[in-house]
Amino acid sequence: MHFIPPPSSSSGLLLVANKGDQTLGLIDPDATRQVATVAEGGVTGHEVVASPDGKRAFVPIYGNSGVGMPGTDGSTMAVIDLGERRVIQTVDFGHGVRPHCAVFGPKDGLLYVTTELDKSVTVIDPRTLKIVGSVPTGQAESHMLAISPDGRKGYTANVGPGTVSVLDLAERKVLTVIPVAAHVQRISISPDGRWVFTSDTEKARLAAIDTATNKVDRWIALPGTGYGTAPTPDGKWLLVAIPSTNEVAIVDLAAMRVVRTSKVPPSPQEVLIRPDGSVAYVSCSGSHKVAAIQINDWSVKLIEAGPGADGLAWAQ
């Protein structure tokens, strides 16, 4: 494809997994437009993560199904060079595992990828692209992963079982499984590591798990059933995508309650906070849009993306 140079701004690139056309979209956040797309190979990737140096993107290829639903079972992860705008390598998991959420360990630099059909998180060395280990979750449908700020623990949202697995990443073992609700989706952790959040997708509420006790400490009432969440770096706010009402709820983390909402285009999915804490990006899969919410005044600007916009990442 035609090479498009990186944006002149030093701020970085916003990456979006466009499920509708199986591409990774590259968005110039300052120009607020998608400047390029990279084909993933014809099968759908739902999530994306950027390498810490901002040079590569990793897109697990999940398949054409929803979690727990019949369909193809992805077995690979695409590695994309963001400068060259192309897939440069593929990681092969060896069999169908539906790889989904990829997260870099904040301390060890390893890449952790949920491999839900194996009831595990697979550990990859991003330098060699070799699989170097596996962490069992003890549960089916371990779909999303959050890692504690100290890099010691991982937390997976296990969708159908409605649980959260707590993982010891160094010892590569499951520590405990926390019962949460009948069905949960998405997961995030507060910047201080004290709270883990996951949405009850059958009731309009968000579970706040105390990481000291590994129990649901309280429920935060939402204006509709929630989905993706993300805290601001200062720990003041938690933003929650509400697909059922096409809005984003803003939770005051000191008070642990919703204090306002912002309207966004149809079917908000994932929330990503810009590293400097200034903007929250929300993928809206029903509209070819990413909503950019300014944290200082909660105003919303819209960025054109691809069809089925879902997973988001920031490449610095």
Side-chain angles (χ1 to χ4, degrees):
M1 64 176 292
H2 178 66
F3 176 77
I4 299 176
S8 57
S9 165
S10 60
S11 62
L13 276 175
L14 177 65
L15 310 179
V16 56
N18 296 317
K19 292 193 297 188
D21 61 8
Q22 295 86 48
T23 66
L24 179 68
L26 281 62
I27 291 172
D28 181 332
D30 296 334
T32 62
R33 65 185 182 91
Q34 185 169 272
V35 296
T37 59
V38 180
E40 297 163 357
V43 187
T44 307
H46 297 187
E47 296 294 323
V48 58
V49 69
S51 58
D53 64 8
K55 294 181 179 179
R56 294 181 295 169
F58 299 82
V59 182
I61 305 301
Y62 187 78
N64 65 5
S65 65
V67 61
M69 303 296 287
T72 58
D73 302 331
S75 60
T76 61
M77 179 171 65
V79 184
I80 294 171
D81 185 301
L82 293 174
E84 297 180 10
R85 312 293 205 246
R86 66 182 182 91
V87 175
I88 56 170
Q89 200 157 340
T90 300
V91 177
D92 192 339
F93 294 94
H95 59 284
V97 294
R98 295 192 179 185
H100 191 255
C101 179
V103 182
F104 273 92
K107 302 298 183 181
D108 60 18
L110 295 172
L111 186 58
Y112 295 84
V113 183
T114 59
T115 38
E116 62 183 55
L117 292 187
D118 277 357
K119 300 180 181 179
S120 70
V121 172
T122 296
V123 188
I124 295 170
D125 183 331
R127 295 163 298 178
T128 64
L129 299 179
K130 301 295 185 183
I131 294 172
V132 296
S134 179
V135 186
T137 67
Q139 297 280 281
E141 299 177 13
S142 299
H143 199 55
M144 298 296 284
L145 169 70
I147 296 179
S148 61
D150 63 10
R152 296 172 59 188
K153 292 181 179 178
Y155 300 85
T156 61
N158 310 312
V159 177
T163 60
V164 168
S165 295
V166 184
L167 312 176
D168 184 321
L169 297 182
E171 297 294 328
R172 296 181 181 169
K173 65 181 182 180
V174 60
L175 295 174
T176 191
V177 176
I178 304 168
V180 179
H183 190 277
V184 300
Q185 261 286 11
R186 306 284 156 152
I187 197 161
S188 65
I189 189 166
S190 61
D192 61 4
R194 180 182 176 187
W195 301 102
V196 164
F197 303 96
T198 189
S199 296
D200 182 343
T201 57
E202 296 184 351
K203 298 180 180 179
R205 60 181 188 169
L206 182 74
I209 295 168
D210 186 333
T211 58
T213 63
N214 286 329
K215 294 180 179 179
V216 177
D217 181 82
R218 67 193 72 186
W219 292 97
I220 299 170
L222 299 174
T225 50
Y227 206 62
T229 60
T232 53
D234 60 8
K236 187 174 183 180
W237 310 108
L238 181 79
L239 281 75
V240 187
I242 313 289
S244 56
T245 59
N246 298 328
E247 61 189 337
V248 172
I250 292 93
V251 174
D252 181 328
L253 285 178
M256 283 291 194
R257 64 181 180 87
V258 174
V259 293
R260 65 176 298 132
T261 60
S262 293
K263 295 298 291 186
V264 294
S267 197
Q269 300 289 302
E270 187 151 298
V271 184
L272 173 77
I273 309 295
R274 190 163 166 150
D276 63 9
S278 64
V279 184
Y281 298 101
V282 184
S283 57
C284 301
S285 66
S287 65
H288 295 226
K289 296 285 194 301
V290 171
I293 302 175
Q294 306 298 310
I295 301 295
N296 62 343
D297 63 4
W298 307 114
S299 62
V300 179
K301 296 179 181 178
L302 300 182
I303 301 171
E304 190 75 20
D310 191 0
L312 297 170
W314 185 266
Q316 190 67 47

PDB file of all heavy atoms in Angstrom, residues 239-268:
ATOM      1  N   LEU A 239     -13.873   5.827  33.435  1.00  0.00           N
ATOM      2  CA  LEU A 239     -14.847   5.982  32.366  1.00  0.00           C
ATOM      3  C   LEU A 239     -15.379   4.607  31.968  1.00  0.00           C
ATOM      4  O   LEU A 239     -14.596   3.661  31.807  1.00  0.00           O
ATOM      5  CB  LEU A 239     -14.241   6.690  31.162  1.00  0.00           C
ATOM      6  CG  LEU A 239     -14.130   8.223  31.307  1.00  0.00           C
ATOM      7  CD1 LEU A 239     -13.000   8.621  32.233  1.00  0.00           C
ATOM      8  CD2 LEU A 239     -13.963   8.895  29.954  1.00  0.00           C
ATOM      9  N   VAL A 240     -16.695   4.518  31.805  1.00  0.00           N
ATOM     10  CA  VAL A 240     -17.360   3.241  31.535  1.00  0.00           C
ATOM     11  C   VAL A 240     -18.204   3.372  30.277  1.00  0.00           C
ATOM     12  O   VAL A 240     -19.101   4.222  30.205  1.00  0.00           O
ATOM     13  CB  VAL A 240     -18.278   2.821  32.714  1.00  0.00           C
ATOM     14  CG1 VAL A 240     -18.826   1.409  32.489  1.00  0.00           C
ATOM     15  CG2 VAL A 240     -17.549   2.914  34.049  1.00  0.00           C
ATOM     16  N   ALA A 241     -17.924   2.544  29.276  1.00  0.00           N
ATOM     17  CA  ALA A 241     -18.744   2.520  28.066  1.00  0.00           C
ATOM     18  C   ALA A 241     -20.079   1.847  28.378  1.00  0.00           C
ATOM     19  O   ALA A 241     -20.113   0.770  28.979  1.00  0.00           O
ATOM     20  CB  ALA A 241     -18.026   1.766  26.956  1.00  0.00           C
ATOM     21  N   ILE A 242     -21.169   2.492  27.948  1.00  0.00           N
ATOM     22  CA  ILE A 242     -22.519   1.967  28.178  1.00  0.00           C
ATOM     23  C   ILE A 242     -23.174   1.731  26.806  1.00  0.00           C
ATOM     24  O   ILE A 242     -23.852   2.618  26.277  1.00  0.00           O
ATOM     25  CB  ILE A 242     -23.371   2.931  29.025  1.00  0.00           C
ATOM     26  CG1 ILE A 242     -22.603   3.438  30.250  1.00  0.00           C
ATOM     27  CG2 ILE A 242     -24.679   2.259  29.432  1.00  0.00           C
ATOM     28  CD1 ILE A 242     -22.375   2.417  31.329  1.00  0.00           C
ATOM     29  N   PRO A 243     -22.983   0.557  26.190  1.00  0.00           N
ATOM     30  CA  PRO A 243     -23.537   0.329  24.851  1.00  0.00           C
ATOM     31  C   PRO A 243     -25.061   0.397  24.804  1.00  0.00           C
ATOM     32  O   PRO A 243     -25.636   0.781  23.778  1.00  0.00           O
ATOM     33  CB  PRO A 243     -23.047  -1.077  24.499  1.00  0.00           C
ATOM     34  CG  PRO A 243     -21.919  -1.354  25.426  1.00  0.00           C
ATOM     35  CD  PRO A 243     -22.199  -0.577  26.666  1.00  0.00           C
ATOM     36  N   SER A 244     -25.715   0.048  25.893  1.00  0.00           N
ATOM     37  CA  SER A 244     -27.179  -0.007  25.894  1.00  0.00           C
ATOM     38  C   SER A 244     -27.821   1.367  25.806  1.00  0.00           C
ATOM     39  O   SER A 244     -28.979   1.496  25.394  1.00  0.00           O
ATOM     40  CB  SER A 244     -27.675  -0.731  27.158  1.00  0.00           C
ATOM     41  OG  SER A 244     -27.180  -0.107  28.331  1.00  0.00           O
ATOM     42  N   THR A 245     -27.070   2.416  26.155  1.00  0.00           N
ATOM     43  CA  THR A 245     -27.630   3.773  26.116  1.00  0.00           C
ATOM     44  C   THR A 245     -26.794   4.729  25.268  1.00  0.00           C
ATOM     45  O   THR A 245     -27.092   5.924  25.213  1.00  0.00           O
ATOM     46  CB  THR A 245     -27.756   4.352  27.543  1.00  0.00           C
ATOM     47  OG1 THR A 245     -26.447   4.378  28.154  1.00  0.00           O
ATOM     48  CG2 THR A 245     -28.684   3.506  28.408  1.00  0.00           C
ATOM     49  N   ASN A 246     -25.741   4.214  24.619  1.00  0.00           N
ATOM     50  CA  ASN A 246     -24.863   5.025  23.763  1.00  0.00           C
ATOM     51  C   ASN A 246     -24.296   6.235  24.505  1.00  0.00           C
ATOM     52  O   ASN A 246     -24.424   7.381  24.076  1.00  0.00           O
ATOM     53  CB  ASN A 246     -25.605   5.474  22.495  1.00  0.00           C
ATOM     54  CG  ASN A 246     -26.050   4.304  21.653  1.00  0.00           C
ATOM     55  OD1 ASN A 246     -25.393   3.267  21.621  1.00  0.00           O
ATOM     56  ND2 ASN A 246     -27.185   4.449  20.988  1.00  0.00           N
ATOM     57  N   GLU A 247     -23.685   5.938  25.623  1.00  0.00           N
ATOM     58  CA  GLU A 247     -23.047   6.997  26.397  1.00  0.00           C
ATOM     59  C   GLU A 247     -21.866   6.426  27.177  1.00  0.00           C
ATOM     60  O   GLU A 247     -21.643   5.209  27.209  1.00  0.00           O
ATOM     61  CB  GLU A 247     -24.050   7.667  27.340  1.00  0.00           C
ATOM     62  CG  GLU A 247     -24.676   6.753  28.359  1.00  0.00           C
ATOM     63  CD  GLU A 247     -25.813   7.430  29.112  1.00  0.00           C
ATOM     64  OE1 GLU A 247     -25.857   8.666  29.193  1.00  0.00           O
ATOM     65  OE2 GLU A 247     -26.670   6.695  29.634  1.00  0.00           O
ATOM     66  N   VAL A 248     -21.113   7.316  27.766  1.00  0.00           N
ATOM     67  CA  VAL A 248     -20.012   6.948  28.638  1.00  0.00           C
ATOM     68  C   VAL A 248     -20.301   7.525  30.013  1.00  0.00           C
ATOM     69  O   VAL A 248     -20.596   8.720  30.143  1.00  0.00           O
ATOM     70  CB  VAL A 248     -18.670   7.474  28.095  1.00  0.00           C
ATOM     71  CG1 VAL A 248     -17.549   7.252  29.099  1.00  0.00           C
ATOM     72  CG2 VAL A 248     -18.335   6.799  26.766  1.00  0.00           C
ATOM     73  N   ALA A 249     -20.251   6.670  31.013  1.00  0.00           N
ATOM     74  CA  ALA A 249     -20.467   7.111  32.388  1.00  0.00           C
ATOM     75  C   ALA A 249     -19.126   7.461  33.018  1.00  0.00           C
ATOM     76  O   ALA A 249     -18.144   6.734  32.844  1.00  0.00           O
ATOM     77  CB  ALA A 249     -21.167   6.025  33.195  1.00  0.00           C
ATOM     78  N   ILE A 250     -19.102   8.572  33.752  1.00  0.00           N
ATOM     79  CA  ILE A 250     -17.879   9.008  34.437  1.00  0.00           C
ATOM     80  C   ILE A 250     -18.063   8.763  35.928  1.00  0.00           C
ATOM     81  O   ILE A 250     -18.962   9.331  36.561  1.00  0.00           O
ATOM     82  CB  ILE A 250     -17.554  10.489  34.163  1.00  0.00           C
ATOM     83  CG1 ILE A 250     -17.167  10.679  32.687  1.00  0.00           C
ATOM     84  CG2 ILE A 250     -16.403  10.956  35.035  1.00  0.00           C
ATOM     85  CD1 ILE A 250     -18.271  11.053  31.763  1.00  0.00           C
ATOM     86  N   VAL A 251     -17.213   7.879  36.452  1.00  0.00           N
ATOM     87  CA  VAL A 251     -17.263   7.515  37.869  1.00  0.00           C
ATOM     88  C   VAL A 251     -16.215   8.315  38.630  1.00  0.00           C
ATOM     89  O   VAL A 251     -15.038   8.352  38.236  1.00  0.00           O
ATOM     90  CB  VAL A 251     -17.012   6.005  38.053  1.00  0.00           C
ATOM     91  CG1 VAL A 251     -16.928   5.644  39.537  1.00  0.00           C
ATOM     92  CG2 VAL A 251     -18.091   5.177  37.358  1.00  0.00           C
ATOM     93  N   ASP A 252     -16.637   8.964  39.703  1.00  0.00           N
ATOM     94  CA  ASP A 252     -15.722   9.603  40.641  1.00  0.00           C
ATOM     95  C   ASP A 252     -15.171   8.493  41.535  1.00  0.00           C
ATOM     96  O   ASP A 252     -15.913   7.888  42.325  1.00  0.00           O
ATOM     97  CB  ASP A 252     -16.475  10.650  41.462  1.00  0.00           C
ATOM     98  CG  ASP A 252     -15.591  11.388  42.461  1.00  0.00           C
ATOM     99  OD1 ASP A 252     -14.627  10.780  42.971  1.00  0.00           O
ATOM    100  OD2 ASP A 252     -15.887  12.557  42.751  1.00  0.00           O
ATOM    101  N   LEU A 253     -13.889   8.178  41.414  1.00  0.00           N
ATOM    102  CA  LEU A 253     -13.337   7.042  42.149  1.00  0.00           C
ATOM    103  C   LEU A 253     -13.199   7.296  43.646  1.00  0.00           C
ATOM    104  O   LEU A 253     -13.140   6.347  44.429  1.00  0.00           O
ATOM    105  CB  LEU A 253     -11.984   6.635  41.548  1.00  0.00           C
ATOM    106  CG  LEU A 253     -12.089   5.885  40.209  1.00  0.00           C
ATOM    107  CD1 LEU A 253     -10.704   5.565  39.675  1.00  0.00           C
ATOM    108  CD2 LEU A 253     -12.910   4.616  40.355  1.00  0.00           C
ATOM    109  N   ALA A 254     -13.158   8.551  44.056  1.00  0.00           N
ATOM    110  CA  ALA A 254     -13.144   8.835  45.497  1.00  0.00           C
ATOM    111  C   ALA A 254     -14.502   8.517  46.109  1.00  0.00           C
ATOM    112  O   ALA A 254     -14.592   7.948  47.201  1.00  0.00           O
ATOM    113  CB  ALA A 254     -12.767  10.286  45.751  1.00  0.00           C
ATOM    114  N   ALA A 255     -15.567   8.862  45.382  1.00  0.00           N
ATOM    115  CA  ALA A 255     -16.924   8.629  45.876  1.00  0.00           C
ATOM    116  C   ALA A 255     -17.482   7.287  45.421  1.00  0.00           C
ATOM    117  O   ALA A 255     -18.497   6.827  45.950  1.00  0.00           O
ATOM    118  CB  ALA A 255     -17.844   9.746  45.401  1.00  0.00           C
ATOM    119  N   MET A 256     -16.855   6.669  44.425  1.00  0.00           N
ATOM    120  CA  MET A 256     -17.305   5.401  43.839  1.00  0.00           C
ATOM    121  C   MET A 256     -18.749   5.494  43.342  1.00  0.00           C
ATOM    122  O   MET A 256     -19.596   4.645  43.636  1.00  0.00           O
ATOM    123  CB  MET A 256     -17.170   4.253  44.846  1.00  0.00           C
ATOM    124  CG  MET A 256     -15.756   3.764  45.014  1.00  0.00           C
ATOM    125  SD  MET A 256     -15.132   2.918  43.561  1.00  0.00           S
ATOM    126  CE  MET A 256     -13.671   2.134  44.213  1.00  0.00           C
ATOM    127  N   ARG A 257     -19.029   6.549  42.583  1.00  0.00           N
ATOM    128  CA  ARG A 257     -20.360   6.676  41.988  1.00  0.00           C
ATOM    129  C   ARG A 257     -20.265   7.471  40.684  1.00  0.00           C
ATOM    130  O   ARG A 257     -19.336   8.245  40.470  1.00  0.00           O
ATOM    131  CB  ARG A 257     -21.329   7.359  42.957  1.00  0.00           C
ATOM    132  CG  ARG A 257     -20.998   8.786  43.307  1.00  0.00           C
ATOM    133  CD  ARG A 257     -21.995   9.373  44.300  1.00  0.00           C
ATOM    134  NE  ARG A 257     -21.680  10.750  44.642  1.00  0.00           N
ATOM    135  CZ  ARG A 257     -22.092  11.809  43.951  1.00  0.00           C
ATOM    136  NH1 ARG A 257     -22.856  11.653  42.881  1.00  0.00           N
ATOM    137  NH2 ARG A 257     -21.757  13.036  44.324  1.00  0.00           N
ATOM    138  N   VAL A 258     -21.266   7.259  39.816  1.00  0.00           N
ATOM    139  CA  VAL A 258     -21.342   7.992  38.560  1.00  0.00           C
ATOM    140  C   VAL A 258     -21.755   9.432  38.844  1.00  0.00           C
ATOM    141  O   VAL A 258     -22.749   9.677  39.535  1.00  0.00           O
ATOM    142  CB  VAL A 258     -22.354   7.332  37.601  1.00  0.00           C
ATOM    143  CG1 VAL A 258     -22.549   8.173  36.340  1.00  0.00           C
ATOM    144  CG2 VAL A 258     -21.894   5.923  37.232  1.00  0.00           C
ATOM    145  N   VAL A 259     -21.002  10.383  38.305  1.00  0.00           N
ATOM    146  CA  VAL A 259     -21.297  11.796  38.550  1.00  0.00           C
ATOM    147  C   VAL A 259     -21.768  12.520  37.294  1.00  0.00           C
ATOM    148  O   VAL A 259     -22.321  13.613  37.379  1.00  0.00           O
ATOM    149  CB  VAL A 259     -20.077  12.524  39.150  1.00  0.00           C
ATOM    150  CG1 VAL A 259     -19.787  12.001  40.554  1.00  0.00           C
ATOM    151  CG2 VAL A 259     -18.841  12.387  38.259  1.00  0.00           C
ATOM    152  N   ARG A 260     -21.558  11.928  36.113  1.00  0.00           N
ATOM    153  CA  ARG A 260     -22.054  12.528  34.886  1.00  0.00           C
ATOM    154  C   ARG A 260     -21.956  11.489  33.763  1.00  0.00           C
ATOM    155  O   ARG A 260     -21.327  10.439  33.924  1.00  0.00           O
ATOM    156  CB  ARG A 260     -21.289  13.787  34.507  1.00  0.00           C
ATOM    157  CG  ARG A 260     -19.839  13.570  34.155  1.00  0.00           C
ATOM    158  CD  ARG A 260     -19.185  14.869  33.691  1.00  0.00           C
ATOM    159  NE  ARG A 260     -19.827  15.372  32.491  1.00  0.00           N
ATOM    160  CZ  ARG A 260     -20.218  16.639  32.321  1.00  0.00           C
ATOM    161  NH1 ARG A 260     -20.021  17.530  33.276  1.00  0.00           N
ATOM    162  NH2 ARG A 260     -20.786  17.027  31.197  1.00  0.00           N
ATOM    163  N   THR A 261     -22.556  11.798  32.620  1.00  0.00           N
ATOM    164  CA  THR A 261     -22.447  10.955  31.444  1.00  0.00           C
ATOM    165  C   THR A 261     -22.178  11.827  30.222  1.00  0.00           C
ATOM    166  O   THR A 261     -22.506  13.018  30.208  1.00  0.00           O
ATOM    167  CB  THR A 261     -23.724  10.128  31.199  1.00  0.00           C
ATOM    168  OG1 THR A 261     -24.827  11.008  31.009  1.00  0.00           O
ATOM    169  CG2 THR A 261     -24.014   9.193  32.373  1.00  0.00           C
ATOM    170  N   SER A 262     -21.587  11.219  29.206  1.00  0.00           N
ATOM    171  CA  SER A 262     -21.351  11.892  27.923  1.00  0.00           C
ATOM    172  C   SER A 262     -21.942  11.029  26.816  1.00  0.00           C
ATOM    173  O   SER A 262     -21.677   9.824  26.760  1.00  0.00           O
ATOM    174  CB  SER A 262     -19.848  12.075  27.672  1.00  0.00           C
ATOM    175  OG  SER A 262     -19.269  12.974  28.594  1.00  0.00           O
ATOM    176  N   LYS A 263     -22.731  11.636  25.936  1.00  0.00           N
ATOM    177  CA  LYS A 263     -23.318  10.908  24.814  1.00  0.00           C
ATOM    178  C   LYS A 263     -22.248  10.659  23.756  1.00  0.00           C
ATOM    179  O   LYS A 263     -21.430  11.535  23.464  1.00  0.00           O
ATOM    180  CB  LYS A 263     -24.475  11.684  24.198  1.00  0.00           C
ATOM    181  CG  LYS A 263     -25.672  11.877  25.122  1.00  0.00           C
ATOM    182  CD  LYS A 263     -26.308  10.554  25.542  1.00  0.00           C
ATOM    183  CE  LYS A 263     -27.019   9.853  24.383  1.00  0.00           C
ATOM    184  NZ  LYS A 263     -27.752   8.634  24.843  1.00  0.00           N
ATOM    185  N   VAL A 264     -22.283   9.449  23.188  1.00  0.00           N
ATOM    186  CA  VAL A 264     -21.345   9.072  22.124  1.00  0.00           C
ATOM    187  C   VAL A 264     -22.114   8.329  21.040  1.00  0.00           C
ATOM    188  O   VAL A 264     -23.280   7.970  21.232  1.00  0.00           O
ATOM    189  CB  VAL A 264     -20.203   8.186  22.676  1.00  0.00           C
ATOM    190  CG1 VAL A 264     -19.334   8.960  23.651  1.00  0.00           C
ATOM    191  CG2 VAL A 264     -20.744   6.914  23.315  1.00  0.00           C
ATOM    192  N   PRO A 265     -21.506   8.073  19.879  1.00  0.00           N
ATOM    193  CA  PRO A 265     -22.191   7.335  18.816  1.00  0.00           C
ATOM    194  C   PRO A 265     -22.540   5.903  19.240  1.00  0.00           C
ATOM    195  O   PRO A 265     -22.102   5.428  20.289  1.00  0.00           O
ATOM    196  CB  PRO A 265     -21.177   7.361  17.670  1.00  0.00           C
ATOM    197  CG  PRO A 265     -20.359   8.586  17.916  1.00  0.00           C
ATOM    198  CD  PRO A 265     -20.235   8.642  19.405  1.00  0.00           C
ATOM    199  N   PRO A 266     -23.319   5.208  18.408  1.00  0.00           N
ATOM    200  CA  PRO A 266     -23.851   3.901  18.793  1.00  0.00           C
ATOM    201  C   PRO A 266     -22.797   2.847  19.127  1.00  0.00           C
ATOM    202  O   PRO A 266     -21.749   2.773  18.499  1.00  0.00           O
ATOM    203  CB  PRO A 266     -24.659   3.483  17.554  1.00  0.00           C
ATOM    204  CG  PRO A 266     -25.093   4.759  16.941  1.00  0.00           C
ATOM    205  CD  PRO A 266     -23.943   5.700  17.154  1.00  0.00           C
ATOM    206  N   SER A 267     -23.122   2.073  20.157  1.00  0.00           N
ATOM    207  CA  SER A 267     -22.385   0.888  20.583  1.00  0.00           C
ATOM    208  C   SER A 267     -20.946   1.154  21.012  1.00  0.00           C
ATOM    209  O   SER A 267     -19.997   0.579  20.477  1.00  0.00           O
ATOM    210  CB  SER A 267     -22.403  -0.168  19.466  1.00  0.00           C
ATOM    211  OG  SER A 267     -22.052  -1.424  19.964  1.00  0.00           O
ATOM    212  N   PRO A 268     -20.761   2.018  22.032  1.00  0.00           N
ATOM    213  CA  PRO A 268     -19.411   2.211  22.570  1.00  0.00           C
ATOM    214  C   PRO A 268     -18.875   0.908  23.163  1.00  0.00           C
ATOM    215  O   PRO A 268     -19.602   0.166  23.820  1.00  0.00           O
ATOM    216  CB  PRO A 268     -19.603   3.281  23.643  1.00  0.00           C
ATOM    217  CG  PRO A 268     -21.042   3.167  24.047  1.00  0.00           C
ATOM    218  CD  PRO A 268     -21.770   2.782  22.805  1.00  0.00           C
TER     219      PRO A 268
END
